[in-house]
Amino acid sequence: MTTGPRTIDVPVRLPIKLGQFVKLSGLAETGGMAREAIDAGEVTVNGTTLAHRGHRLAAGDVVQLAGAAPAMRVVDAAGL
């Protein structure tokens, strides 16, 4: 479900770590690719670059890969 012109809602079970979400949302094809993108500073959460793949995301957080559109919004699947 899209919530804006460039943001897609991704329902997940919370809590979820940044690395897991990057892979699950399709921003990266594999966990290794997710790790590389995060370590390289190519992933932002709510507009801030994060380099810690263990960062726990919250409902409403917006995750984006540099140069990739659309952004992905964390949605708590339990609330659906």
Side-chain angles (χ1 to χ4, degrees):
M1 165 186 219
T2 58
T3 58
R6 297 180 57 117
T7 303
I8 294 175
D9 287 347
V10 180
V12 295
R13 288 178 43 195
L14 295 175
I16 190 166
K17 295 177 183 177
L18 178 59
Q20 294 169 320
F21 183 81
V22 170
K23 180 183 172 201
L24 181 73
S25 67
L27 290 172
E29 291 182 26
T30 67
M33 292 174 84
R35 179 182 40 114
E36 289 175 7
I38 294 167
D39 289 348
E42 297 174 353
V43 176
T44 61
V45 177
N46 302 324
T48 302
T49 301
L50 293 182
H52 179 60
R53 67 181 192 263
H55 174 82
R56 293 193 183 263
L57 298 172
D61 283 347
V62 176
V63 179
Q64 189 162 23
L65 183 63
M72 304 293 181
R73 183 185 329 269
V74 178
V75 175
D76 187 358
L80 297 177

